[in-house]
Amino acid sequence: MSTTAHKVATQAASAAGARMKGRLPPSVVREIVYGMSLGLFAGYLWKLHHWSNQRRTREFYSLLDEGRITVVVDEPAGAKE
């Protein structure tokens, strides 16, 4: 089996092996832990954003119930009908 594709693949594998001298191969468990950590961190940031929106909505409706703000536009003083 001395095709050109086989020779190229063998050369690429030996070059990759030379670059990896003294280094540990990638760990599947470590990659899973990294992925889960990044996913949990991104989920936490998303929940912080969600909680902030909930807080602003609750604050708006509480101010509206107290009468401190209104959603009705005031007419200008010199407006004629």
Side-chain angles (χ1 to χ4, degrees):
M1 189 167 154
S2 79
T3 63
T4 305
H6 182 268
K7 289 179 184 177
V8 171
T10 305
Q11 180 66 26
S14 67
R19 281 195 311 266
M20 291 294 291
K21 280 269 194 262
R23 293 174 55 187
L24 294 175
S27 169
V28 175
V29 174
R30 186 173 48 207
E31 295 291 328
I32 290 172
V33 169
Y34 287 165
M36 288 177 63
S37 299
L38 287 173
L40 287 171
F41 182 68
Y44 177 70
L45 290 178
W46 180 253
K47 286 304 289 183
L48 281 179
H49 172 71
H50 178 74
W51 291 331
S52 176
N53 283 343
Q54 279 185 329
R55 182 185 47 79
R56 281 191 279 154
T57 302
R58 267 196 313 270
E59 185 178 333
F60 170 78
Y61 281 111
S62 69
L63 289 174
L64 193 62
D65 288 341
E66 292 173 8
R68 294 174 59 190
I69 62 171
T70 181
V71 292
V72 178
V73 178
D74 290 332
E75 292 290 327
K80 295 182 182 178
E81 290 184 17

